[in-house]
mmCIF file with all atom_site columns, all heavy atoms in Angstrom:
data_model
loop_
_atom_site.group_PDB
_atom_site.id
_atom_site.type_symbol
_atom_site.label_atom_id
_atom_site.label_alt_id
_atom_site.label_comp_id
_atom_site.label_asym_id
_atom_site.label_entity_id
_atom_site.label_seq_id
_atom_site.pdbx_PDB_ins_code
_atom_site.Cartn_x
_atom_site.Cartn_y
_atom_site.Cartn_z
_atom_site.occupancy
_atom_site.B_iso_or_equiv
_atom_site.pdbx_formal_charge
_atom_site.auth_seq_id
_atom_site.auth_comp_id
_atom_site.auth_asym_id
_atom_site.auth_atom_id
_atom_site.pdbx_PDB_model_num
ATOM 1   N N   . LYS B 1 93  ? 1.368   17.802 -24.401 1.00 0.00 ? 139 LYS B N   1
ATOM 2   C CA  . LYS B 1 93  ? 1.623   18.465 -25.712 1.00 0.00 ? 139 LYS B CA  1
ATOM 3   C C   . LYS B 1 93  ? 3.124   18.403 -26.077 1.00 0.00 ? 139 LYS B C   1
ATOM 4   O O   . LYS B 1 93  ? 3.396   18.527 -27.229 1.00 0.00 ? 139 LYS B O   1
ATOM 5   C CB  . LYS B 1 93  ? 1.188   19.951 -25.522 1.00 0.00 ? 139 LYS B CB  1
ATOM 6   C CG  . LYS B 1 93  ? -0.289  20.214 -25.437 1.00 0.00 ? 139 LYS B CG  1
ATOM 7   C CD  . LYS B 1 93  ? -0.538  21.693 -25.190 1.00 0.00 ? 139 LYS B CD  1
ATOM 8   C CE  . LYS B 1 93  ? -2.098  21.945 -25.054 1.00 0.00 ? 139 LYS B CE  1
ATOM 9   N NZ  . LYS B 1 93  ? -2.453  23.360 -24.791 1.00 0.00 ? 139 LYS B NZ  1
ATOM 10  N N   . LYS B 1 94  ? 3.938   18.259 -25.103 1.00 0.00 ? 140 LYS B N   1
ATOM 11  C CA  . LYS B 1 94  ? 5.385   18.121 -25.430 1.00 0.00 ? 140 LYS B CA  1
ATOM 12  C C   . LYS B 1 94  ? 5.815   16.796 -25.873 1.00 0.00 ? 140 LYS B C   1
ATOM 13  O O   . LYS B 1 94  ? 6.918   16.597 -26.417 1.00 0.00 ? 140 LYS B O   1
ATOM 14  C CB  . LYS B 1 94  ? 6.155   18.542 -24.135 1.00 0.00 ? 140 LYS B CB  1
ATOM 15  C CG  . LYS B 1 94  ? 6.157   19.830 -23.706 1.00 0.00 ? 140 LYS B CG  1
ATOM 16  C CD  . LYS B 1 94  ? 6.965   20.174 -22.472 1.00 0.00 ? 140 LYS B CD  1
ATOM 17  C CE  . LYS B 1 94  ? 8.499   19.983 -22.756 1.00 0.00 ? 140 LYS B CE  1
ATOM 18  N NZ  . LYS B 1 94  ? 9.320   20.250 -21.604 1.00 0.00 ? 140 LYS B NZ  1
ATOM 19  N N   . GLN B 1 95  ? 4.937   15.849 -25.645 1.00 0.00 ? 141 GLN B N   1
ATOM 20  C CA  . GLN B 1 95  ? 5.332   14.407 -26.086 1.00 0.00 ? 141 GLN B CA  1
ATOM 21  C C   . GLN B 1 95  ? 5.347   14.237 -27.559 1.00 0.00 ? 141 GLN B C   1
ATOM 22  O O   . GLN B 1 95  ? 4.482   14.892 -28.285 1.00 0.00 ? 141 GLN B O   1
ATOM 23  C CB  . GLN B 1 95  ? 4.421   13.406 -25.372 1.00 0.00 ? 141 GLN B CB  1
ATOM 24  C CG  . GLN B 1 95  ? 4.655   13.355 -23.906 1.00 0.00 ? 141 GLN B CG  1
ATOM 25  C CD  . GLN B 1 95  ? 3.625   12.447 -23.182 1.00 0.00 ? 141 GLN B CD  1
ATOM 26  O OE1 . GLN B 1 95  ? 2.968   11.658 -23.808 1.00 0.00 ? 141 GLN B OE1 1
ATOM 27  N NE2 . GLN B 1 95  ? 3.413   12.555 -21.889 1.00 0.00 ? 141 GLN B NE2 1
ATOM 28  N N   . MET B 1 96  ? 6.111   13.462 -28.113 1.00 0.00 ? 142 MET B N   1
ATOM 29  C CA  . MET B 1 96  ? 6.074   13.182 -29.480 1.00 0.00 ? 142 MET B CA  1
ATOM 30  C C   . MET B 1 96  ? 4.776   12.563 -30.055 1.00 0.00 ? 142 MET B C   1
ATOM 31  O O   . MET B 1 96  ? 4.328   11.613 -29.424 1.00 0.00 ? 142 MET B O   1
ATOM 32  C CB  . MET B 1 96  ? 7.334   12.314 -29.953 1.00 0.00 ? 142 MET B CB  1
ATOM 33  C CG  . MET B 1 96  ? 7.408   12.104 -31.469 1.00 0.00 ? 142 MET B CG  1
ATOM 34  S SD  . MET B 1 96  ? 8.872   11.061 -31.825 1.00 0.00 ? 142 MET B SD  1
ATOM 35  C CE  . MET B 1 96  ? 8.377   9.496  -31.081 1.00 0.00 ? 142 MET B CE  1
ATOM 36  N N   . ARG B 1 97  ? 4.168   13.024 -31.108 1.00 0.00 ? 143 ARG B N   1
ATOM 37  C CA  . ARG B 1 97  ? 2.952   12.467 -31.514 1.00 0.00 ? 143 ARG B CA  1
ATOM 38  C C   . ARG B 1 97  ? 3.307   11.379 -32.573 1.00 0.00 ? 143 ARG B C   1
ATOM 39  O O   . ARG B 1 97  ? 4.206   11.535 -33.467 1.00 0.00 ? 143 ARG B O   1
ATOM 40  C CB  . ARG B 1 97  ? 2.096   13.581 -32.237 1.00 0.00 ? 143 ARG B CB  1
ATOM 41  C CG  . ARG B 1 97  ? 1.527   14.552 -31.366 1.00 0.00 ? 143 ARG B CG  1
ATOM 42  C CD  . ARG B 1 97  ? 0.773   15.694 -32.255 1.00 0.00 ? 143 ARG B CD  1
ATOM 43  N NE  . ARG B 1 97  ? -0.364  14.955 -33.036 1.00 0.00 ? 143 ARG B NE  1
ATOM 44  C CZ  . ARG B 1 97  ? -0.820  15.483 -34.162 1.00 0.00 ? 143 ARG B CZ  1
ATOM 45  N NH1 . ARG B 1 97  ? -0.262  16.594 -34.626 1.00 0.00 ? 143 ARG B NH1 1
ATOM 46  N NH2 . ARG B 1 97  ? -1.715  14.951 -34.809 1.00 0.00 ? 143 ARG B NH2 1
ATOM 47  N N   . ILE B 1 98  ? 2.687   10.229 -32.388 1.00 0.00 ? 144 ILE B N   1
ATOM 48  C CA  . ILE B 1 98  ? 2.730   9.210  -33.387 1.00 0.00 ? 144 ILE B CA  1
ATOM 49  C C   . ILE B 1 98  ? 1.534   9.095  -34.300 1.00 0.00 ? 144 ILE B C   1
ATOM 50  O O   . ILE B 1 98  ? 0.512   8.963  -33.793 1.00 0.00 ? 144 ILE B O   1
ATOM 51  C CB  . ILE B 1 98  ? 2.971   7.808  -32.662 1.00 0.00 ? 144 ILE B CB  1
ATOM 52  C CG1 . ILE B 1 98  ? 4.171   7.849  -31.680 1.00 0.00 ? 144 ILE B CG1 1
ATOM 53  C CG2 . ILE B 1 98  ? 3.165   6.678  -33.736 1.00 0.00 ? 144 ILE B CG2 1
ATOM 54  C CD1 . ILE B 1 98  ? 4.270   6.602  -30.841 1.00 0.00 ? 144 ILE B CD1 1
ATOM 55  N N   . THR B 1 99  ? 1.786   9.296  -35.611 1.00 0.00 ? 145 THR B N   1
ATOM 56  C CA  . THR B 1 99  ? 0.652   9.410  -36.555 1.00 0.00 ? 145 THR B CA  1
ATOM 57  C C   . THR B 1 99  ? 0.830   8.408  -37.614 1.00 0.00 ? 145 THR B C   1
ATOM 58  O O   . THR B 1 99  ? 1.914   8.023  -37.866 1.00 0.00 ? 145 THR B O   1
ATOM 59  C CB  . THR B 1 99  ? 0.531   10.870 -37.034 1.00 0.00 ? 145 THR B CB  1
ATOM 60  O OG1 . THR B 1 99  ? 1.787   11.061 -37.928 1.00 0.00 ? 145 THR B OG1 1
ATOM 61  C CG2 . THR B 1 99  ? 0.357   11.811 -36.048 1.00 0.00 ? 145 THR B CG2 1
ATOM 62  N N   . ALA B 1 100 ? -0.309  8.005  -38.289 1.00 0.00 ? 146 ALA B N   1
ATOM 63  C CA  . ALA B 1 100 ? -0.313  7.244  -39.461 1.00 0.00 ? 146 ALA B CA  1
ATOM 64  C C   . ALA B 1 100 ? -1.433  7.745  -40.353 1.00 0.00 ? 146 ALA B C   1
ATOM 65  O O   . ALA B 1 100 ? -2.594  7.907  -39.957 1.00 0.00 ? 146 ALA B O   1
ATOM 66  C CB  . ALA B 1 100 ? -0.574  5.818  -39.026 1.00 0.00 ? 146 ALA B CB  1
ATOM 67  N N   . ASN B 1 101 ? -1.078  8.027  -41.630 1.00 0.00 ? 147 ASN B N   1
ATOM 68  C CA  . ASN B 1 101 ? -2.002  8.658  -42.541 1.00 0.00 ? 147 ASN B CA  1
ATOM 69  C C   . ASN B 1 101 ? -2.609  9.899  -42.011 1.00 0.00 ? 147 ASN B C   1
ATOM 70  O O   . ASN B 1 101 ? -3.715  10.181 -42.322 1.00 0.00 ? 147 ASN B O   1
ATOM 71  C CB  . ASN B 1 101 ? -3.005  7.615  -42.888 1.00 0.00 ? 147 ASN B CB  1
ATOM 72  C CG  . ASN B 1 101 ? -2.424  6.407  -43.539 1.00 0.00 ? 147 ASN B CG  1
ATOM 73  O OD1 . ASN B 1 101 ? -1.595  6.438  -44.308 1.00 0.00 ? 147 ASN B OD1 1
ATOM 74  N ND2 . ASN B 1 101 ? -2.972  5.204  -43.198 1.00 0.00 ? 147 ASN B ND2 1
ATOM 75  N N   . GLY B 1 102 ? -1.784  10.651 -41.272 1.00 0.00 ? 148 GLY B N   1
ATOM 76  C CA  . GLY B 1 102 ? -2.254  11.982 -40.861 1.00 0.00 ? 148 GLY B CA  1
ATOM 77  C C   . GLY B 1 102 ? -3.076  11.800 -39.515 1.00 0.00 ? 148 GLY B C   1
ATOM 78  O O   . GLY B 1 102 ? -3.569  12.936 -39.033 1.00 0.00 ? 148 GLY B O   1
ATOM 79  N N   . ARG B 1 103 ? -3.366  10.703 -39.081 1.00 0.00 ? 149 ARG B N   1
ATOM 80  C CA  . ARG B 1 103 ? -4.104  10.463 -37.751 1.00 0.00 ? 149 ARG B CA  1
ATOM 81  C C   . ARG B 1 103 ? -3.291  10.012 -36.684 1.00 0.00 ? 149 ARG B C   1
ATOM 82  O O   . ARG B 1 103 ? -2.397  9.290  -36.800 1.00 0.00 ? 149 ARG B O   1
ATOM 83  C CB  . ARG B 1 103 ? -5.309  9.589  -38.047 1.00 0.00 ? 149 ARG B CB  1
ATOM 84  C CG  . ARG B 1 103 ? -6.268  10.019 -39.190 1.00 0.00 ? 149 ARG B CG  1
ATOM 85  C CD  . ARG B 1 103 ? -7.497  9.281  -39.212 1.00 0.00 ? 149 ARG B CD  1
ATOM 86  N NE  . ARG B 1 103 ? -8.332  9.305  -38.009 1.00 0.00 ? 149 ARG B NE  1
ATOM 87  C CZ  . ARG B 1 103 ? -9.487  8.728  -37.856 1.00 0.00 ? 149 ARG B CZ  1
ATOM 88  N NH1 . ARG B 1 103 ? -9.928  7.882  -38.794 1.00 0.00 ? 149 ARG B NH1 1
ATOM 89  N NH2 . ARG B 1 103 ? -10.129 8.954  -36.736 1.00 0.00 ? 149 ARG B NH2 1
ATOM 90  N N   . ASP B 1 104 ? -3.656  10.452 -35.453 1.00 0.00 ? 150 ASP B N   1
ATOM 91  C CA  . ASP B 1 104 ? -3.048  9.959  -34.283 1.00 0.00 ? 150 ASP B CA  1
ATOM 92  C C   . ASP B 1 104 ? -3.268  8.516  -34.073 1.00 0.00 ? 150 ASP B C   1
ATOM 93  O O   . ASP B 1 104 ? -4.332  7.935  -34.357 1.00 0.00 ? 150 ASP B O   1
ATOM 94  C CB  . ASP B 1 104 ? -3.518  10.670 -33.045 1.00 0.00 ? 150 ASP B CB  1
ATOM 95  C CG  . ASP B 1 104 ? -3.082  12.224 -32.914 1.00 0.00 ? 150 ASP B CG  1
ATOM 96  O OD1 . ASP B 1 104 ? -1.857  12.459 -32.903 1.00 0.00 ? 150 ASP B OD1 1
ATOM 97  O OD2 . ASP B 1 104 ? -4.003  13.071 -33.030 1.00 0.00 ? 150 ASP B OD2 1
ATOM 98  N N   . VAL B 1 105 ? -2.192  7.786  -33.700 1.00 0.00 ? 151 VAL B N   1
ATOM 99  C CA  . VAL B 1 105 ? -2.205  6.383  -33.550 1.00 0.00 ? 151 VAL B CA  1
ATOM 100 C C   . VAL B 1 105 ? -2.921  6.044  -32.146 1.00 0.00 ? 151 VAL B C   1
ATOM 101 O O   . VAL B 1 105 ? -2.451  6.660  -31.099 1.00 0.00 ? 151 VAL B O   1
ATOM 102 C CB  . VAL B 1 105 ? -0.863  5.714  -33.663 1.00 0.00 ? 151 VAL B CB  1
ATOM 103 C CG1 . VAL B 1 105 ? -0.888  4.216  -33.280 1.00 0.00 ? 151 VAL B CG1 1
ATOM 104 C CG2 . VAL B 1 105 ? -0.335  5.957  -35.041 1.00 0.00 ? 151 VAL B CG2 1
ATOM 105 N N   . ARG B 1 106 ? -3.813  5.221  -32.170 1.00 0.00 ? 152 ARG B N   1
ATOM 106 C CA  . ARG B 1 106 ? -4.378  4.748  -30.942 1.00 0.00 ? 152 ARG B CA  1
ATOM 107 C C   . ARG B 1 106 ? -3.432  4.115  -30.030 1.00 0.00 ? 152 ARG B C   1
ATOM 108 O O   . ARG B 1 106 ? -2.709  3.267  -30.317 1.00 0.00 ? 152 ARG B O   1
ATOM 109 C CB  . ARG B 1 106 ? -5.578  3.850  -31.176 1.00 0.00 ? 152 ARG B CB  1
ATOM 110 C CG  . ARG B 1 106 ? -6.413  3.331  -29.941 1.00 0.00 ? 152 ARG B CG  1
ATOM 111 C CD  . ARG B 1 106 ? -7.465  2.357  -30.268 1.00 0.00 ? 152 ARG B CD  1
ATOM 112 N NE  . ARG B 1 106 ? -8.380  2.937  -31.150 1.00 0.00 ? 152 ARG B NE  1
ATOM 113 C CZ  . ARG B 1 106 ? -9.453  2.155  -31.583 1.00 0.00 ? 152 ARG B CZ  1
ATOM 114 N NH1 . ARG B 1 106 ? -9.679  0.959  -31.268 1.00 0.00 ? 152 ARG B NH1 1
ATOM 115 N NH2 . ARG B 1 106 ? -10.331 2.764  -32.489 1.00 0.00 ? 152 ARG B NH2 1
ATOM 116 N N   . PRO B 1 107 ? -3.332  4.550  -28.673 1.00 0.00 ? 153 PRO B N   1
ATOM 117 C CA  . PRO B 1 107 ? -2.450  3.875  -27.727 1.00 0.00 ? 153 PRO B CA  1
ATOM 118 C C   . PRO B 1 107 ? -2.861  2.437  -27.471 1.00 0.00 ? 153 PRO B C   1
ATOM 119 O O   . PRO B 1 107 ? -4.028  2.090  -27.558 1.00 0.00 ? 153 PRO B O   1
ATOM 120 C CB  . PRO B 1 107 ? -2.599  4.707  -26.510 1.00 0.00 ? 153 PRO B CB  1
ATOM 121 C CG  . PRO B 1 107 ? -3.920  5.391  -26.634 1.00 0.00 ? 153 PRO B CG  1
ATOM 122 C CD  . PRO B 1 107 ? -4.159  5.610  -28.090 1.00 0.00 ? 153 PRO B CD  1
ATOM 123 N N   . VAL B 1 108 ? -1.916  1.634  -27.186 1.00 0.00 ? 154 VAL B N   1
ATOM 124 C CA  . VAL B 1 108 ? -2.064  0.173  -26.926 1.00 0.00 ? 154 VAL B CA  1
ATOM 125 C C   . VAL B 1 108 ? -2.759  0.058  -25.627 1.00 0.00 ? 154 VAL B C   1
ATOM 126 O O   . VAL B 1 108 ? -2.630  0.756  -24.649 1.00 0.00 ? 154 VAL B O   1
ATOM 127 C CB  . VAL B 1 108 ? -0.747  -0.513 -26.848 1.00 0.00 ? 154 VAL B CB  1
ATOM 128 C CG1 . VAL B 1 108 ? -0.941  -1.967 -26.443 1.00 0.00 ? 154 VAL B CG1 1
ATOM 129 C CG2 . VAL B 1 108 ? 0.042   -0.413 -28.151 1.00 0.00 ? 154 VAL B CG2 1
ATOM 130 N N   . TYR B 1 109 ? -3.767  -0.831 -25.657 1.00 0.00 ? 155 TYR B N   1
ATOM 131 C CA  . TYR B 1 109 ? -4.559  -1.158 -24.362 1.00 0.00 ? 155 TYR B CA  1
ATOM 132 C C   . TYR B 1 109 ? -3.538  -1.654 -23.381 1.00 0.00 ? 155 TYR B C   1
ATOM 133 O O   . TYR B 1 109 ? -2.679  -2.380 -23.499 1.00 0.00 ? 155 TYR B O   1
ATOM 134 C CB  . TYR B 1 109 ? -5.569  -2.302 -24.635 1.00 0.00 ? 155 TYR B CB  1
ATOM 135 C CG  . TYR B 1 109 ? -6.139  -2.884 -23.412 1.00 0.00 ? 155 TYR B CG  1
ATOM 136 C CD1 . TYR B 1 109 ? -7.233  -2.209 -22.798 1.00 0.00 ? 155 TYR B CD1 1
ATOM 137 C CD2 . TYR B 1 109 ? -5.580  -4.073 -22.878 1.00 0.00 ? 155 TYR B CD2 1
ATOM 138 C CE1 . TYR B 1 109 ? -7.770  -2.764 -21.658 1.00 0.00 ? 155 TYR B CE1 1
ATOM 139 C CE2 . TYR B 1 109 ? -6.108  -4.572 -21.672 1.00 0.00 ? 155 TYR B CE2 1
ATOM 140 C CZ  . TYR B 1 109 ? -7.254  -3.957 -21.063 1.00 0.00 ? 155 TYR B CZ  1
ATOM 141 O OH  . TYR B 1 109 ? -7.793  -4.396 -19.911 1.00 0.00 ? 155 TYR B OH  1
ATOM 142 N N   . LYS B 1 110 ? -3.897  -1.135 -22.014 1.00 0.00 ? 156 LYS B N   1
ATOM 143 C CA  . LYS B 1 110 ? -3.120  -1.504 -20.891 1.00 0.00 ? 156 LYS B CA  1
ATOM 144 C C   . LYS B 1 110 ? -4.132  -1.732 -19.715 1.00 0.00 ? 156 LYS B C   1
ATOM 145 O O   . LYS B 1 110 ? -5.168  -1.050 -19.646 1.00 0.00 ? 156 LYS B O   1
ATOM 146 C CB  . LYS B 1 110 ? -2.075  -0.388 -20.455 1.00 0.00 ? 156 LYS B CB  1
ATOM 147 C CG  . LYS B 1 110 ? -0.955  -0.227 -21.509 1.00 0.00 ? 156 LYS B CG  1
ATOM 148 C CD  . LYS B 1 110 ? 0.013   0.812  -21.022 1.00 0.00 ? 156 LYS B CD  1
ATOM 149 C CE  . LYS B 1 110 ? 1.041   1.058  -22.069 1.00 0.00 ? 156 LYS B CE  1
ATOM 150 N NZ  . LYS B 1 110 ? 1.972   2.133  -21.623 1.00 0.00 ? 156 LYS B NZ  1
ATOM 151 N N   . ASN B 1 111 ? -3.790  -2.579 -18.848 1.00 0.00 ? 157 ASN B N   1
ATOM 152 C CA  . ASN B 1 111 ? -4.548  -2.755 -17.612 1.00 0.00 ? 157 ASN B CA  1
ATOM 153 C C   . ASN B 1 111 ? -4.266  -1.723 -16.684 1.00 0.00 ? 157 ASN B C   1
ATOM 154 O O   . ASN B 1 111 ? -3.559  -1.895 -15.624 1.00 0.00 ? 157 ASN B O   1
ATOM 155 C CB  . ASN B 1 111 ? -4.307  -4.175 -17.031 1.00 0.00 ? 157 ASN B CB  1
ATOM 156 C CG  . ASN B 1 111 ? -5.074  -5.365 -17.739 1.00 0.00 ? 157 ASN B CG  1
ATOM 157 O OD1 . ASN B 1 111 ? -4.439  -5.934 -18.586 1.00 0.00 ? 157 ASN B OD1 1
ATOM 158 N ND2 . ASN B 1 111 ? -6.290  -5.533 -17.297 1.00 0.00 ? 157 ASN B ND2 1
ATOM 159 N N   . GLU B 1 112 ? -4.935  -0.581 -16.846 1.00 0.00 ? 158 GLU B N   1
ATOM 160 C CA  . GLU B 1 112 ? -4.616  0.568  -15.984 1.00 0.00 ? 158 GLU B CA  1
ATOM 161 C C   . GLU B 1 112 ? -5.816  1.579  -16.097 1.00 0.00 ? 158 GLU B C   1
ATOM 162 O O   . GLU B 1 112 ? -6.755  1.388  -16.874 1.00 0.00 ? 158 GLU B O   1
ATOM 163 C CB  . GLU B 1 112 ? -3.312  1.296  -16.353 1.00 0.00 ? 158 GLU B CB  1
ATOM 164 C CG  . GLU B 1 112 ? -3.377  1.885  -17.820 1.00 0.00 ? 158 GLU B CG  1
ATOM 165 C CD  . GLU B 1 112 ? -2.067  2.498  -18.144 1.00 0.00 ? 158 GLU B CD  1
ATOM 166 O OE1 . GLU B 1 112 ? -1.027  2.097  -17.503 1.00 0.00 ? 158 GLU B OE1 1
ATOM 167 O OE2 . GLU B 1 112 ? -1.955  3.232  -19.069 1.00 0.00 ? 158 GLU B OE2 1
ATOM 168 N N   . LEU B 1 113 ? -5.797  2.566  -15.126 1.00 0.00 ? 159 LEU B N   1
ATOM 169 C CA  . LEU B 1 113 ? -6.756  3.497  -15.178 1.00 0.00 ? 159 LEU B CA  1
ATOM 170 C C   . LEU B 1 113 ? -6.616  4.497  -16.439 1.00 0.00 ? 159 LEU B C   1
ATOM 171 O O   . LEU B 1 113 ? -5.460  4.806  -16.705 1.00 0.00 ? 159 LEU B O   1
ATOM 172 C CB  . LEU B 1 113 ? -6.806  4.399  -13.984 1.00 0.00 ? 159 LEU B CB  1
ATOM 173 C CG  . LEU B 1 113 ? -7.096  3.706  -12.597 1.00 0.00 ? 159 LEU B CG  1
ATOM 174 C CD1 . LEU B 1 113 ? -6.787  4.634  -11.466 1.00 0.00 ? 159 LEU B CD1 1
ATOM 175 C CD2 . LEU B 1 113 ? -8.499  3.192  -12.558 1.00 0.00 ? 159 LEU B CD2 1
#
Side-chain angles (χ1 to χ4, degrees):
K139 291 178 182 178
K140 289 182 65 178
Q141 294 174 18
M142 182 178 67
R143 291 177 61 206
I144 302 175
T145 61
N147 299 321
R149 299 190 65 177
D150 290 298
V151 173
R152 180 183 300 182
V154 176
Y155 167 83
K156 296 179 182 178
N157 279 96
E158 60 185 21
L159 296 175

